[in-house]
Amino acid sequence: MSTTEEIALDQKHFDRAWDARERTRVNLEHAHEAAGGNQKVAVAVKKDAARMLEQLGDSDEAVAFGRIDPVADDPLYVGRHAITDENKDMLVVGWQAPAAAVFYKANIKDPCGLERVRKFSTELNAITLFEDTVFNELRERVDDLTQRFNQPVDDVLLRDLEASRDGEMRDIVQTIHHSQYDLISRPLEQLLVIQGGPGTGKSAVALHRVSWLLFDQRDTLKPSDFLVIGPSRTFTAYIQKVLPSLGNDGVVHGDLASLGPLASSDRAEPDHLARLKGEARMARLLGRGLMGRIRVPPEALVIGRGADAVTFEPTELGKQLTQVKRRAKTYRQGREGLRDWVTATANDRLNDQRNRLARARVSIPPSQIDGIVERMWPSLTAASFLQDLFGSQQRLVDAAGADFTAAEVKDLYRPASERIASEQWTASDVALLDEAESQLGGRTTKHAHVVVDEAQDLSPMQLRSIRRRSTSGSFTIVGDVAQSTGPWARDSWDDIVAALEMSHEAHLEELEFGYRVPREHFELAARLLPTAAPGLRAPSVIRSAPAAPELIRVDDEDLVGRAIEVAQGYAGRGLSVGIISATQFRDHVVDELQRRDVRFTDARQGALGRSINVLTAEESKGLEFDATVVVQPAGIVDGTKVGERRLYIALTRTTGFMSLVMSLPVPALGVHGEALPESGPLVLEGPDDSQAETGEETFSEDSAPSSTALAPAASAKAKGGRVVALMADDLAAEIRSGLLPELWPAFIEALAERLQKDLN
């Protein structure tokens, strides 16, 4: 059967499924009308119908993205959502269903009883082409395949990766690799930590795991039982439409800046202070600070006047406060306990006095009770407590105990704003506010499963905040320790696991293959790993870039202007662009864009635009762009290990093109000496033969180690040879996986003929 006939046959099924889905949509949209005049029933039916409509997908969405052909059974189509006909016969199975698992799991070594797996490319619901994996044919030709080719990347995935970014993370369920699916379909009852380098798809795995668990646990869990936490508002905006596209509306999304009773502002603070506030001992400081607000008055307290006056002596109050504090689990519970005792005691004493005077029984007004309680056990909010604590050196000294030095207490002190509403909270304050709210007795909404993305930078206080949002310790934690920066940069997951492990066992898994960042760009970034993250295994990167990384040499005064011009060039081609700079250049980039009247999006505003976006390396963590312009890499490195990690992040945010605009050398990348190389493509050169034999590496002032030296000014022949070798590798892999060996000579001859025509 020809390709055209195959497509026509599959398209017939696609059309039938589309008709069935749209009939269901119409029926659901009008289902409430069948309730007649019963308004209550109509509302309930409409609500149920809306929920079911979410499971259908959009009208312009293709009904399926794949097909599995069992050896001895009918083909089964796989899509984002299940579709049945009017007789409830299954036309398309949803990707989370057990029957669809083999679509992801089948491979050359274990085809899972399948003859083939077919992946479709579509425009709306029209099939444009398909890719087949026929396992019997592949099994005959795998002996000479490397590991890379045993983990093939098909054209469907490449087209998805090469599609333009639009400021949102798109649903890529049709391209989930079988190693990723194994993590997605893990049981709920575990603490799953996924380590993944740039472009390994860890965010997609985490989100699709939520969707899979919602399907697998559909009888017991609902979307609001799941919480997805990202590092920033911008990141949350980037990923939050993935789950709705899979029919999972209602999952709770949040970010670290808002994970508490109040969100953070843009108030900055030194790294050493942010680290201090993130330490676990801060929880004890807050606890002592709260207990310090409870005090025995130095004099007797009196309620009422004259014959109706009731007196409480300090000694009596002190004993009662001690008892209440011992019994109370939270600050507010203790305050209520004290209030109850004061109310009962005062009313009993007052009425005893009135009985002796033959007067009617009365109750003391609540306002008078509140007044006396407030003097001993003041009513507090998390914000008012933290403002008062940080704004008083004496309160800080009293709360510090032996855990903090005088210098640390001095660092924590800051003058309070005149009003609580005008207080500016830092990112590290948010976890302290959440801790204070917990100790005060505030209720934290708990979830059956919590996902934390970019988790490698969490402080102990942030981990406490996340832990209290879990009912049992069911987590999916994803990140990359090579991208761990900021005050709590770390080299392993050990302390994070220790902080979050509750009733479920922890499992640390690693994503081995990088699909999204092109090889040439990653190889440049990977030069930083030996010092930035020693001992960490870099992912195996599979796809090639449309162009090598570009070095643009400029003078200092032209740095920002040239970067903007390069970004405009990319944007003019319809690409999404990230201008990623050292922090000290960020405001200069924004000012110059405004001066030139160039439209752009500032990532600090909580979202990404479709064209030019301005970010620091730290802010770009977890995000992707079609093209990136990295401004002054030397400024990002800043001579530190954490700085090298920030540059590693900046160099791995592109799925296509990257330009480095610089006026200073970057020794960490192999660009040495005072004189920069000429502008042009950055080409990675391997060791020469003599060095390969001896294993020796040579160093000079103006060159990197010869085994990984950059040669941006290399000859055209050297550049061409490298490009030819890379293209030959990719083409050979494609031929091996898609053409029988006996046809290779004929293919090579046909290819040579076609290329010769272009030369003539």
Side-chain angles (χ1 to χ4, degrees):
M1 188 181 299
S2 69
T3 299
T4 301
E5 291 171 327
E6 291 267 13
I7 289 178
L9 190 62
D10 284 321
Q11 186 64 54
K12 184 177 181 180
H13 189 89
F14 269 49
D15 293 342
R16 180 186 172 199
W18 190 91
D19 289 340
R21 182 182 67 186
E22 296 315 302
R23 280 196 303 270
T24 301
R25 189 187 311 280
V26 171
N27 291 337
L28 288 173
E29 288 173 345
H30 296 280
H32 64 284
E33 297 172 2
N38 191 323
Q39 185 66 23
K40 186 175 181 180
V41 173
V43 169
V45 170
K46 191 171 184 178
K47 184 177 180 180
D48 287 342
R51 178 180 54 79
M52 296 172 68
L53 280 167
E54 292 172 1
Q55 306 302 317
L56 289 180
D58 295 333
S59 296
D60 58 358
E61 178 184 291
V63 296
F65 53 74
R67 193 185 94 184
I68 51 180
D69 292 12
V71 172
D73 207 343
D74 294 332
L76 184 65
Y77 291 81
V78 180
R80 292 176 181 84
H81 313 282
I83 301 174
T84 59
D85 63 14
E86 60 272 17
N87 298 319
K88 301 302 179 182
D89 291 331
M90 187 65 68
L91 299 178
V92 177
V93 64
W95 73 275
Q96 310 102 318
V102 292
F103 178 80
Y104 303 103
K105 290 184 175 182
N107 55 56
I108 297 170
K109 294 180 179 178
D110 181 11
C112 300
L114 299 184
E115 177 184 346
R116 84 177 70 226
V117 166
R118 174 169 293 182
K119 296 182 180 180
F120 299 105
S121 288
T122 58
E123 292 181 4
L124 300 179
N125 198 49
I127 302 171
T128 56
L129 54 88
F130 62 82
E131 298 286 340
D132 272 353
T133 300
V134 183
F135 294 106
N136 285 337
E137 293 178 5
L138 286 176
R139 194 178 295 109
E140 297 171 359
R141 315 188 253 114
V142 299
D143 291 343
D144 64 337
L145 298 182
T146 66
Q147 184 184 47
R148 174 184 167 196
F149 303 133
N150 271 313
Q151 306 289 340
V153 177
D154 54 55
D155 288 346
V156 172
L157 176 55
L158 291 176
R159 278 187 292 276
D160 177 79
L161 294 171
E162 291 163 5
S164 180
R165 310 292 105 184
D166 60 2
E168 298 173 0
M169 183 179 179
R170 292 175 296 115
D171 164 32
I172 58 167
V173 65
Q174 67 267 34
T175 61
I176 290 171
H177 190 266
H178 69 77
S179 61
Q180 296 172 323
Y181 184 82
D182 176 64
L183 299 178
I184 289 168
S185 56
R186 291 288 184 89
L188 178 72
E189 296 82 10
Q190 61 182 278
L191 164 55
L192 178 61
V193 179
I194 301 175
Q195 158 68 35
T200 53
K202 52 188 177 291
S203 296
V205 168
L207 293 172
H208 286 83
R209 176 159 162 72
V210 170
S211 184
W212 187 90
L213 286 171
L214 276 168
F215 181 89
D216 186 63
Q217 304 285 325
R218 57 192 178 278
D219 294 334
T220 57
L221 297 178
K222 56 187 182 298
S224 60
D225 291 323
F226 290 76
L227 171 64
V228 178
I229 301 171
S232 66
R233 285 190 301 147
T234 303
F235 184 88
T236 298
Y238 179 65
I239 68 169
Q240 65 185 1
K241 291 190 177 179
V242 172
L243 287 169
S245 76
L246 299 173
N248 302 128
D249 280 325
V251 172
V252 183
H253 283 76
D255 61 87
L256 293 174
S258 59
L259 203 64
L262 291 171
S264 68
S265 65
D266 292 330
R267 180 172 182 163
E269 63 186 353
D271 280 356
H272 77 275
L273 179 55
R275 182 174 177 86
L276 174 61
K277 289 181 179 180
E279 293 188 22
R281 56 188 169 136
M282 286 297 297
R284 297 192 296 272
L285 181 142
L286 296 184
R288 287 190 293 264
L290 276 176
M291 291 301 100
R293 299 304 299 271
I294 304 167
R295 56 192 175 87
V296 179
E299 72 284 338
L301 298 182
V302 180
I303 298 177
R305 295 180 180 180
D308 286 340
V310 176
T311 302
F312 291 91
E313 295 296 334
T315 302
E316 176 188 23
L317 293 173
K319 291 180 180 179
Q320 188 60 36
L321 284 175
T322 300
Q323 292 180 17
V324 172
K325 283 195 290 186
R326 187 165 52 243
R327 293 194 301 265
K329 294 182 179 180
T330 68
Y331 183 91
R332 289 173 184 149
Q333 186 184 76
R335 188 178 191 276
E336 284 303 306
L338 176 65
R339 189 182 189 281
D340 291 343
W341 177 82
V342 170
T343 300
T345 303
N347 282 328
D348 286 347
R349 291 179 182 176
L350 174 61
N351 284 297
D352 283 346
Q353 295 168 189
R354 293 180 72 84
N355 285 340
R356 289 195 298 270
L357 297 173
R359 293 180 179 175
R361 294 180 62 85
V362 295
S363 295
I364 296 175
S367 60
Q368 294 185 30
I369 299 294
D370 290 339
I372 194 172
V373 171
E374 188 68 20
R375 293 187 61 181
M376 294 184 290
W377 202 305
S379 175
L380 297 171
T381 65
S384 66
F385 163 65
L386 206 61
Q387 184 191 51
D388 290 345
L389 180 63
F390 284 169
S392 168
Q393 292 182 340
Q394 187 57 54
R395 283 186 176 139
L396 279 171
V397 169
D398 293 341
D403 286 346
F404 294 81
T405 66
E408 289 172 332
V409 169
K410 184 178 179 181
D411 282 341
L412 289 172
Y413 170 76
R414 72 182 189 212
S417 299
E418 292 184 2
R419 297 182 303 112
I420 293 177
S422 60
E423 191 71 52
Q424 297 291 299
W425 304 105
T426 67
S428 60
D429 288 335
V430 173
L432 299 181
L433 288 165
D434 193 58
E435 179 71 31
E437 181 63 22
S438 176
Q439 294 192 21
L440 282 166
R443 293 184 178 180
T444 301
T445 301
K446 294 184 178 293
H447 300 268
H449 189 76
V450 179
V451 172
V452 188
D453 208 331
E454 298 295 337
Q456 65 272 1
D457 293 326
L458 296 173
S459 73
M461 291 303 297
Q462 289 171 326
L463 290 167
R464 285 174 63 92
S465 182
I466 290 168
R467 178 189 173 98
R468 69 174 59 99
R469 281 162 171 78
S470 173
T471 57
S472 64
S474 175
F475 290 100
T476 299
I477 307 297
V478 300
D480 179 14
V481 294
Q483 300 179 59
S484 184
T485 59
W488 283 92
R490 49 173 57 86
D491 296 321
S492 79
W493 292 98
D494 293 348
D495 61 326
I496 291 179
V497 169
L500 294 179
E501 198 165 19
M502 296 167 65
S503 59
H504 299 316
E505 186 178 355
H507 298 270
L508 175 61
E509 304 290 348
E510 187 171 358
L511 290 170
E512 184 178 355
F513 297 96
Y515 305 94
R516 312 189 74 76
V517 181
R519 184 187 313 114
E520 294 82 351
H521 303 322
F522 183 79
E523 286 177 352
L524 175 62
R527 297 168 60 79
L528 300 163
L529 288 178
T531 54
L536 187 71
R537 183 176 64 176
S540 300
V541 180
I542 292 176
R543 56 188 288 263
S544 297
E550 178 187 30
L551 181 150
I552 299 177
R553 175 183 176 181
V554 296
D555 296 327
D556 288 342
E557 59 270 21
D558 297 329
L559 189 69
V560 171
R562 185 73 179 103
I564 290 174
E565 291 169 1
V566 174
Q568 287 181 287
Y570 285 135
R573 294 158 60 182
L575 305 177
S576 68
V577 185
I579 301 180
I580 305 174
S581 71
T583 303
Q584 61 266 34
F585 291 106
R586 194 192 203 290
D587 290 340
H588 189 183
V589 172
V590 169
D591 291 343
E592 187 64 15
L593 284 164
Q594 292 173 337
R595 190 185 70 80
R596 298 187 180 205
D597 198 25
V598 177
R599 296 186 64 180
F600 71 98
T601 300
D602 189 331
R604 287 178 296 195
Q605 304 306 314
L608 296 177
R610 296 174 180 267
S611 185
I612 295 175
N613 300 270
V614 178
L615 318 89
T616 63
E618 194 80 31
E619 292 165 347
S620 71
K621 198 175 295 185
L623 306 177
E624 285 183 350
F625 303 92
D626 300 326
T628 54
V629 180
V630 182
V631 184
Q632 198 69 301
I636 297 175
V637 172
D638 199 26
T640 66
K641 173 181 174 180
V642 168
E644 290 190 4
R645 289 182 174 184
R646 291 193 180 107
L647 182 56
Y648 178 73
I649 294 167
L651 297 178
T652 54
R653 297 306 96 201
T654 179
T655 61
F657 303 89
M658 180 170 66
S659 297
L660 283 64
V661 183
M662 61 176 71
S663 63
L664 297 173
V666 191
L669 291 179
V671 182
H672 289 263
E674 295 183 2
L676 284 172
E678 296 297 326
S679 298
L682 287 168
V683 181
L684 296 172
E685 296 290 348
D688 61 35
D689 294 338
S690 62
Q691 291 166 342
E693 292 174 2
T694 63
E696 297 178 353
E697 297 178 340
T698 61
F699 294 82
S700 68
E701 182 181 357
D702 295 323
S703 67
S706 58
S707 62
T708 53
L710 290 174
S715 67
K717 182 177 179 180
K719 294 177 186 176
R722 179 60 174 162
V723 172
V724 167
L726 290 172
M727 292 184 67
D729 285 345
D730 290 338
L731 186 57
E734 188 171 345
I735 294 171
R736 286 190 185 102
S737 63
L739 198 64
L740 293 172
E742 55 265 30
L743 297 178
W744 291 356
F747 173 82
I748 294 170
E749 182 179 349
L751 180 63
E753 289 178 359
R754 285 160 175 75
L755 293 176
Q756 190 63 42
K757 291 180 181 178
D758 293 336
L759 292 176
N760 296 335

